Amino acid sequence: MASEQTDATDGDTGALALKILVAGGFGVGKTTLVGAVSEIRPLRTEELLSEAGASVDDTDGVDQKVTTTVAMDFGRITIRSGLSLYLFGTPGQDRFWFLWDELAQGALGAVVLADTRRLQDCFPAVDYFEHRHIPFVVAVNCFAGARSYGAHDVSRALDLDDGTPVVLCDARDRDSGKEVLIRLVEYAGRMHTARLLDSVG
């Protein structure tokens, strides 16, 4: 299981820190989620959208978006005493995907944020984590005015492997985001345990 020993804020030297990726398409809410749940001031690498990127950045459905992540977002949240998550938000556009391999190293798992208005945008992230056997959950960011779909409908539309969790969330809400992260940690823990048992079985 990907982890490291680190000094916690309360001085507990046995604290466990886990690395989590937050991925998904352009404008789906990755920066918002990291910022909402982080207990520290999040690191952001956002730049204004430019005319040069207009031909490659699909802003259909997110017309009011004026910035984009060009490297990563970073935040930290304590789930419970002795367990912290380091959150790394990935850039959404194809031209920044060369950063994903570096960010994914040592990750326990990932949250793939999805927008049902642009569901196809999260297919690359789903494929990325499936092919690398990195546990992930799909978190449907429920935007105002978007048609509501159930978790089962989203799972079928994305052709997810059996057992891959799909949860509904509001990326702006700290408690909602924290529930997504807890669900991921639980799921990834089960997956890593099962793989360990298979390897010694």
Side-chain angles (χ1 to χ4, degrees):
M1 183 178 293
S3 66
E4 61 183 77
Q5 297 296 320
T6 184
D7 290 339
T9 54
D10 62 2
D12 179 5
T13 57
L16 185 64
L18 305 174
K19 181 179 183 180
I20 302 294
L21 299 187
V22 180
F26 176 64
V28 77
K30 300 179 295 295
T31 298
T32 299
L33 176 64
V34 173
V37 301
S38 181
E39 62 199 15
I40 62 172
R41 183 176 180 180
L43 167 69
R44 293 178 172 155
T45 58
E46 288 196 306
E47 297 291 341
L48 291 172
L49 291 173
S50 65
E51 290 185 14
S55 62
V56 291
D57 291 334
D58 179 11
T59 58
D60 185 38
V62 287
D63 312 70
Q64 296 181 357
K65 185 172 175 61
V66 295
T67 61
T68 185
T69 298
V70 296
M72 68 173 186
D73 299 309
F74 175 78
R76 186 190 71 207
I77 179 174
T78 301
I79 296 297
R80 58 171 170 75
S81 178
L83 176 59
S84 297
L85 304 182
Y86 289 163
L87 309 176
F88 292 81
T90 65
Q93 300 98 309
D94 297 9
R95 67 183 186 277
F96 295 126
W97 281 359
F98 66 92
L99 296 168
W100 282 41
D101 286 339
E102 188 72 26
L103 290 173
Q105 287 192 20
L108 172 77
V111 173
V112 176
L113 271 177
D115 178 354
T116 56
R117 300 169 303 178
R118 298 158 54 101
L119 197 59
Q120 70 280 0
D121 289 0
C122 70
F123 271 108
V126 168
D127 289 343
Y128 181 90
F129 297 120
E130 283 185 344
H131 289 147
R132 287 161 181 78
H133 305 289
I134 298 174
F136 68 95
V137 302
V138 173
V140 180
N141 193 7
C142 299
F143 287 90
R147 183 176 171 186
S148 179
Y149 293 91
H152 181 67
D153 294 327
V154 173
S155 180
R156 287 181 56 193
L158 293 176
D159 193 27
L160 298 176
D161 292 340
D162 288 343
T164 302
V166 176
V167 294
L168 307 182
C169 75
D170 181 343
R172 303 166 299 179
D173 183 77
R174 175 180 170 83
D175 289 339
S176 180
K178 186 174 180 180
E179 284 301 314
V180 170
L181 295 171
I182 290 172
R183 185 77 177 272
L184 170 63
V185 170
E186 293 173 344
Y187 174 65
R190 293 194 302 270
M191 293 292 290
H192 284 289
T193 299
R195 290 171 186 171
L196 180 60
L197 293 174
D198 285 344
S199 68
V200 299

